[in-house]
Amino acid sequence: MHSIRVVRHASERGGWEMALAEPPAHLAGLVRDYCGYREATAAPLRRQELPGVQVVLILEFGPLLKHLDDAGRVTRHRSGFTAGLDERWSTTEHEGVSHGLQVNLTPLGARRVFGLPMHELSNRVVGLEDLWGLEARRLVEQLAEAPGWAARFAHVDAFLTRRLERGPEVDSGVRWAMERIHHAGGNLDIAALARELGRSHKHLIHQFHEHVGLPPRRLARLLRFDRAVQRLKAGGPVRWAELAVELGYFDQAHLHRDFRQFTGGPPSALLRRTLPDAGGFESGSQVKSVQEPAWGDGQDAR
């Protein structure tokens, strides 16, 4: 059984329900967490989706989310999509109604669930039906018919367990290196890590491309930024200089440089765009005139 924390928001702009849960013990280390969501807002809601150390799996059983790029192109994926490790933010939007379930996989969990070299998913958003065909559609239909979040999470547990049983094993050295990087919060010498593992730096980078999707140095930088974002989400007063030192940045300016790359602005700007009650971050970017939607699986909308 999952321990589920439900967060609800209601205001003049509309409302949402977020059901948050941790994975069961046998999926720990492969699945980071779950979030079921149901939203109804008075106007379209556009969010900035930040890069992090997880591979996002979205299962949609309501109107489909739009993905917008800087040129104004819109892509939607029937049944849902996955987004590999990325060093850029992305933008999503719904027209006022959204209903689905998000699974945040660890990179090593995603390697086993999808069975692909992870560099094939890096910096990309891929439709689930492109990867799993009718299996993705059946999964989403079953989730939509389930009686509540507990039943949906249990169904996803079973589905992921079956995928993991069929998936490839992850290189033990990569697993060990990932554990060291996480334990150090991203603050360690990657060349020394490779020597300790008994592999060349070049070989370790190649293995990370295969099993993780990014080379270890860039993953470590992304992990440090992800920890900073989690601190902002936790709320409470933030002293930027102290936070920078705590997370291993050289100084406050170093922290700000990472935020500008990963969010497009300083951390204070992201903090002002925080939506209440686990709602994420509202987009602060302006996207050019929107073009006709492109369907990720090459098929017409239903």
Side-chain angles (χ1 to χ4, degrees):
M1 294 291 291
H2 293 86
S3 176
I4 302 174
R5 181 171 67 94
V6 178
V7 181
R8 295 184 177 90
H9 172 80
S11 65
E12 66 282 353
R13 70 186 302 167
W16 52 79
E17 173 184 274
M18 303 289 181
L20 310 172
E22 300 295 322
H26 74 282
L27 294 177
L30 302 172
V31 178
R32 186 168 172 176
D33 51 39
Y34 298 149
C35 176
Y37 57 89
R38 185 196 302 268
E39 296 186 276
T41 55
L45 179 58
R46 184 175 292 179
R47 284 187 172 89
Q48 184 179 32
E49 310 294 348
L50 303 181
V53 190
Q54 70 270 331
V55 175
V56 176
L57 171 60
I58 298 290
L59 302 158
E60 297 188 82
F61 28 98
L64 302 184
L65 285 170
K66 299 177 181 179
H67 290 270
L68 300 91
D69 67 18
D70 291 340
R73 288 184 293 267
V74 177
T75 304
R76 290 184 286 184
H77 297 278
R78 188 163 55 192
S79 299
F81 58 88
T82 187
L85 291 185
D86 205 326
E87 296 172 274
R88 305 164 298 177
W89 73 88
S90 62
T91 305
T92 60
E93 181 182 86
H94 64 73
E95 296 296 336
V97 176
S98 184
H99 190 198
L101 194 154
Q102 176 171 333
V103 181
N104 291 323
L105 299 166
T106 67
L108 301 186
R111 164 68 171 148
R112 294 184 59 191
V113 166
F114 292 111
L116 296 172
M118 290 309 297
H119 63 79
E120 293 186 12
L121 296 179
S122 296
N123 304 307
R124 295 183 62 201
V125 174
V126 182
L128 291 183
E129 291 192 17
D130 292 337
L131 296 172
W132 292 338
L134 290 178
E135 187 179 14
R137 192 175 303 182
R138 285 194 295 268
L139 172 63
V140 168
E141 289 171 350
Q142 291 166 345
L143 291 173
E145 294 168 359
W149 293 121
R152 290 182 181 122
F153 291 152
H155 194 84
V156 172
D157 288 343
F159 176 84
L160 293 177
T161 299
R162 292 192 298 271
R163 296 288 310 183
L164 289 166
E165 289 172 349
R166 304 198 302 264
E169 289 298 321
V170 174
D171 179 84
S172 59
V174 172
R175 188 185 302 277
W176 177 85
M178 285 285 287
E179 290 173 355
R180 288 290 307 275
I181 291 171
H182 275 273
H183 182 73
N187 297 299
L188 77 174
D189 185 326
I190 301 300
L193 181 70
R195 289 194 297 272
E196 188 174 353
L197 187 58
R199 300 179 184 181
S200 71
H201 194 178
K202 182 178 180 179
H203 184 51
L204 184 62
I205 289 173
H206 173 77
Q207 290 182 309
F208 264 68
H209 274 291
E210 177 80 10
H211 294 280
V212 179
L214 290 178
R217 193 180 307 280
R218 285 155 61 186
L219 178 82
R221 184 184 179 202
L222 195 58
L223 173 63
R224 186 169 50 198
F225 166 75
D226 190 43
R227 292 179 66 205
V229 171
Q230 298 310 314
R231 286 292 303 274
L232 298 189
K233 287 182 176 180
V238 179
R239 295 179 175 85
W240 303 115
E242 293 179 7
L243 181 64
V245 173
E246 176 187 337
L247 297 181
Y249 288 95
F250 295 127
D251 52 26
Q252 184 174 338
H254 186 200
L255 180 146
H256 279 225
R257 284 196 297 274
D258 268 12
F259 266 81
R260 288 188 182 280
Q261 175 177 338
F262 293 134
T263 75
S268 57
L270 181 68
L271 194 59
R272 288 193 296 270
R273 292 188 280 104
T274 303
L275 292 165
D277 301 318
F281 300 100
E282 194 163 18
S283 176
S285 62
Q286 296 298 317
V287 179
K288 300 174 185 177
S289 58
V290 173
Q291 302 174 13
E292 288 297 315
W295 290 87
D297 56 5
Q299 302 180 35
D300 293 333
R302 288 184 289 179

